[in-house]
Amino acid sequence: MSNSNNKTRLKHIALGLAFSSIAFASYGQQKNFVVINPSMSENELVEIAANIVPTPEQLRWQQLELTGFIHFGMNTFTGREWGEGKDDPKLFNPTALDARQWVKSCKDAGIKQVIITAKHHDGFCLWPTKTTEYSLKKSPWKDGKGDVVKEVADACKELGVGFGVYVSPWDRNHPSYGTDAYNDVMVAQLTELLTQYGQVDEVWFDGANGEGPNGKKQVYDFERWYALIRKLQPQAVIAVSGPDVRWVGTETGHGREQEWSVVPVGKKNKTDNGSQTTADSPPAGDMRGSVLGSRSQLKDGDALKWYPAETDVSIRPGWFYHEAEDKKVKTPAYLKEIYFHSVGRNGVLLLNIPPDKRGLFTDYDVNALKEWRGKLDEIFKVNLMKNAKATGKVKKIKYLLDGNDATDHTFSMKGNDDAVELDLKGAKTFNVLLLQENIRKGQRVEQFILEYWENGQWKKATEGTTIGFKRLLEFPTITASKVRLRIVAARLQPALAEIGLYLDTTDKK
């Protein structure tokens, strides 16, 4: 995954995006995947999109908000980002590896799930696999009897953190890569990882597909791998070359300002041989476009699917540890901005923190994580709307302030039932807006405006498009005693779960 060529990634990231019957799920009659056809009107498509919902597994994943990536392996000791699969396993020898330190540092920062790079592109395996000798069995670490995957899995279980594995389909070491036999190797490796370490909550596939040691490229049998994962770990989400979670399209940590979780999949464009593509295809359109899933784009696929965005970024310039980058760890202030532009834009943030050659997170990384967490805790410790009184048509605001994303006020969008007006019971100073939809009912808000009362009239504080699971907006500091949130446009009746106003002064300290 690290520093992948965008063209290569975009070309190959689609290989495994299958949307067969294993992807269907529902709350009542609602599903997370619906086939469409060219005869459907825009209104019909909008209604379908508004009723598509996440699977229980996708909902759990979305609620995590923060997940951690741990890039660790042979590259840690060679100084590379992409190894060629030719390095001596004896180079892998962390002197003080402590997976518990990794997981605890993540948990203390608010990260709720950790993914370990069990195998990167070089093919070196961080567990004692039976499928290859190119693993830590041949390293001096713990006399070849160590198991990094087990240590991470055990630490996650002890500390109550979700556990996931990254397994690179591209293997630059295994001699069978580029042949049908390699797909059997991947099945064997996945079986080991999914049966020996307890519950696995996420399986992460990269889209990279390059040549192996024999000069050939592999045709990945993703459908077979997905079926195996569903069988062995049915609660796991499969990302990013997978049917449950998609790549946001950038590795900067900044998601789209308009981020729809329901997107068109498959492409109606005919292929060179004149055949029609199926729904077993990636999101229709440019994955890096400014919008996926707008009204005008709903017709562009063979189906509509709940396919939420994971926003990945490393805390350092590289994905693996390099000593020269110790002073280039992202600042707590910039990590806060990334949080607002990932979690706060209807995504889940996947933040990479790479251990050093000792097998430890450095103080640079740990301190940045601690200060970042401190900033977020300070910003969101007091909802200035907590004791507000409803003064508009919407009188019952209990569910908007209960901290529960499963309760909501559903706006009829008729008459004045498109806004919530609140008396803050005295002047309050704020510059952050938090909104959440109850995505169990779908994602529906298309445009909203926050206004405040000043000098006898309503004035705009900020505005946005999509909300989804969570939307965070920063704006110039305002002091007011009365505010109003208006839903300007929506697909059917939007279900607003949470609303909050906060004051951020952290960057002034």
Side-chain angles (χ1 to χ4, degrees):
M1 198 276 298
S2 49
N3 289 348
S4 41
N5 178 281
N6 274 332
K7 290 184 179 179
T8 300
R9 182 167 189 170
L10 289 169
K11 180 178 180 181
H12 296 292
I13 205 164
L15 288 174
L17 304 182
F19 307 109
S20 56
S21 60
I22 60 173
F24 278 71
S26 64
Y27 295 103
Q29 295 301 311
Q30 294 177 306
K31 297 179 178 180
N32 87 321
F33 176 87
V34 177
V35 175
I36 60 175
N37 63 67
S39 66
M40 291 179 175
S41 67
E42 181 177 284
N43 287 341
E44 289 175 310
L45 293 172
V46 167
E47 183 171 355
I48 290 170
N51 282 295
I52 291 176
V53 299
T55 66
E57 294 75 27
Q58 288 173 317
L59 177 62
R60 174 203 167 271
W61 172 85
Q62 189 84 54
Q63 290 172 322
L64 294 171
E65 294 194 358
L66 295 174
T67 54
F69 226 169
I70 297 180
H71 274 63
F72 187 64
M74 190 62 73
N75 293 337
T76 307
F77 299 90
T78 63
R80 297 181 180 182
E81 285 288 301
W82 280 17
E84 297 179 355
K86 300 176 182 178
D87 298 305
D88 189 338
K90 291 184 174 61
L91 293 173
F92 184 87
N93 191 22
T95 56
L97 189 146
D98 185 355
R100 192 180 189 280
Q101 185 238 15
W102 305 349
V103 177
K104 187 176 187 304
S105 296
C106 288
K107 182 177 181 178
D108 289 347
I111 291 170
K112 297 176 182 176
Q113 185 164 292
V114 167
I115 300 171
I116 178 67
T117 54
K119 184 185 76 168
H120 205 256
H121 307 327
D122 56 16
F124 186 79
C125 296
L126 295 186
W127 78 101
T129 178
K130 295 179 181 178
T131 63
T132 178
E133 293 300 296
Y134 197 57
S135 76
L136 40 66
K137 290 187 300 184
K138 296 295 184 179
S139 80
W141 180 63
K142 294 194 173 182
D143 296 322
K145 295 181 174 61
D147 188 337
V148 174
V149 175
K150 183 179 188 302
E151 297 204 14
V152 175
D154 288 350
C156 287
K157 184 176 181 180
E158 175 193 346
L159 296 171
V161 173
F163 170 65
V165 291
Y166 165 112
V167 190
S168 171
W170 186 19
D171 191 318
R172 306 180 78 177
N173 175 271
H174 205 284
S176 72
Y177 184 86
T179 71
D180 289 341
Y182 177 73
N183 285 312
D184 296 332
V185 172
M186 277 292 292
V187 166
Q189 291 182 347
L190 286 168
T191 299
E192 290 175 347
L193 290 168
L194 301 179
T195 59
Q196 298 177 4
Y197 301 103
Q199 180 167 313
V200 177
D201 300 295
E202 185 166 347
V203 179
W204 211 101
F205 291 124
D206 196 281
N209 183 332
E211 295 181 353
N214 57 11
K216 297 180 180 179
K217 290 187 178 183
Q218 181 72 32
V219 177
Y220 299 144
D221 193 355
F222 276 112
E223 286 272 14
R224 183 180 172 197
W225 305 346
Y226 297 163
L228 179 71
I229 297 166
R230 296 292 194 225
K231 177 183 177 181
L232 298 178
Q233 296 283 349
Q235 76 292 327
V237 294
I238 309 173
V240 148
S241 285
D244 300 323
V245 174
R246 64 181 162 87
W247 181 45
V248 77
T250 174
E251 294 180 351
T252 64
H254 297 265
R256 296 174 181 81
E257 289 194 22
Q258 186 174 169
E259 188 64 68
W260 288 103
S261 292
V262 176
V263 298
V265 293
K267 295 183 179 179
K268 293 182 179 295
N269 299 326
K270 290 186 179 296
T271 58
D272 292 340
N273 63 7
S275 64
Q276 195 80 13
T277 60
T278 69
D280 297 341
S281 303
D286 183 359
M287 285 187 68
R288 292 177 295 175
S290 60
V291 183
L292 287 176
S294 66
R295 285 189 179 224
S296 64
Q297 294 172 322
L298 294 177
K299 66 183 185 302
D300 293 341
D302 297 303
L304 297 177
K305 179 175 170 58
W306 189 277
Y307 198 26
E310 185 174 69
T311 310
D312 58 332
V313 68
S314 182
I315 199 169
R316 291 163 170 259
W319 292 83
F320 286 90
Y321 175 79
H322 309 290
E323 185 177 359
E325 295 178 355
D326 280 349
K327 299 295 180 64
K328 297 180 181 179
V329 173
K330 289 179 174 58
T331 66
Y334 189 55
L335 289 173
K336 187 209 78 173
E337 179 181 311
I338 285 174
Y339 177 86
F340 272 72
H341 291 178
S342 55
V343 176
R345 290 180 176 175
N346 189 36
V348 169
L349 174 60
L350 178 61
L351 179 65
N352 178 66
I353 311 103
D356 63 16
K357 292 180 180 180
R358 300 170 301 168
L360 298 171
F361 286 173
T362 73
D363 289 344
Y364 299 101
D365 304 81
V366 172
N367 290 337
L369 289 172
K370 285 181 178 178
E371 291 184 38
W372 173 49
R373 181 72 258 165
K375 283 180 177 290
L376 296 180
D377 287 345
E378 184 170 344
I379 293 169
F380 296 106
K381 66 182 177 182
V382 177
N383 183 355
L384 298 172
M385 286 184 168
K386 183 177 181 181
N387 298 313
K389 178 182 178 182
T391 56
K393 182 175 180 180
V394 177
K395 298 297 185 184
K396 296 182 179 180
I397 59 172
K398 173 185 175 182
Y399 292 148
L400 298 178
L401 301 169
D402 63 358
N404 184 353
D405 60 51
T407 61
D408 64 81
H409 173 77
T410 300
F411 293 88
S412 69
M413 300 302 287
K414 296 178 181 179
N416 294 324
D417 189 29
D418 60 357
V420 56
E421 186 176 313
L422 299 169
D423 183 341
L424 301 178
K425 296 184 178 179
K428 300 289 192 299
T429 301
F430 49 88
N431 53 20
V432 172
L433 171 67
L434 177 151
L435 297 172
Q436 290 188 263
E437 287 182 79
N438 181 359
I439 59 174
R440 296 164 185 78
K441 296 182 178 180
Q443 182 187 359
R444 300 181 175 183
V445 175
E446 293 176 302
Q447 185 180 0
F448 62 88
I449 296 177
L450 176 70
E451 299 168 315
Y452 63 100
W453 186 255
E454 183 179 76
N455 297 327
Q457 60 180 326
W458 290 109
K459 295 184 178 180
K460 182 173 70 176
T462 190
E463 62 183 330
T465 53
T466 50
I467 297 175
F469 181 74
K470 181 170 285 188
R471 187 64 191 266
L472 296 170
L473 286 176
E474 299 173 282
F475 48 89
T477 302
I478 290 168
T479 299
S481 59
K482 188 161 63 172
V483 296
R484 179 172 70 178
L485 178 77
R486 289 196 294 122
I487 309 297
V488 178
R491 300 173 177 181
L492 302 186
Q493 294 76 41
L496 191 65
E498 290 294 311
I499 183 170
L501 285 177
Y502 303 88
L503 177 63
D504 177 12
T505 61
T506 60
D507 290 341
K508 297 178 181 179
K509 294 182 178 181

